[in-house]
Amino acid sequence: MTKLEGKGNGTMDLELTFASEQDILDNTIASTVTYAAGHGPVDVRVVDPLRVPDADFELRVAGDDADL
């Protein structure tokens, strides 16, 4: 799971990949961060894995006043 923008952790314990940690150490800041599998800000569960297409997915969460 890669965060492209936003803030917050959904009260989850987060763990970055080694590459993301190294990017932050090398550059002081990272434009995107990638979380280790199972350690991101949202808990994603697949109920029927055989029906999930081979694709990239994007999750967007917006408040009531967000421009969509």
Side-chain angles (χ1 to χ4, degrees):
M1 177 178 299
T2 300
K3 181 181 80 168
L4 302 176
E5 62 183 54
K7 60 183 178 180
N9 68 349
T11 69
M12 307 287 278
D13 289 329
L14 304 179
E15 183 179 326
L16 299 178
T17 61
F18 177 79
S20 285
E21 288 180 359
Q22 195 62 49
D23 189 29
I24 292 168
L25 292 173
D26 291 344
N27 301 300
T28 309
I29 192 166
S31 58
T32 63
V33 294
T34 300
Y35 299 100
H39 296 281
V42 294
D43 186 17
V44 177
R45 297 178 188 200
V46 177
V47 176
D48 188 353
L50 297 177
R51 296 188 67 179
V52 177
D54 183 17
D56 291 330
F57 295 91
E58 185 173 306
L59 171 67
R60 291 176 182 235
V61 179
D64 293 336
D65 60 346
D67 293 326
L68 299 176

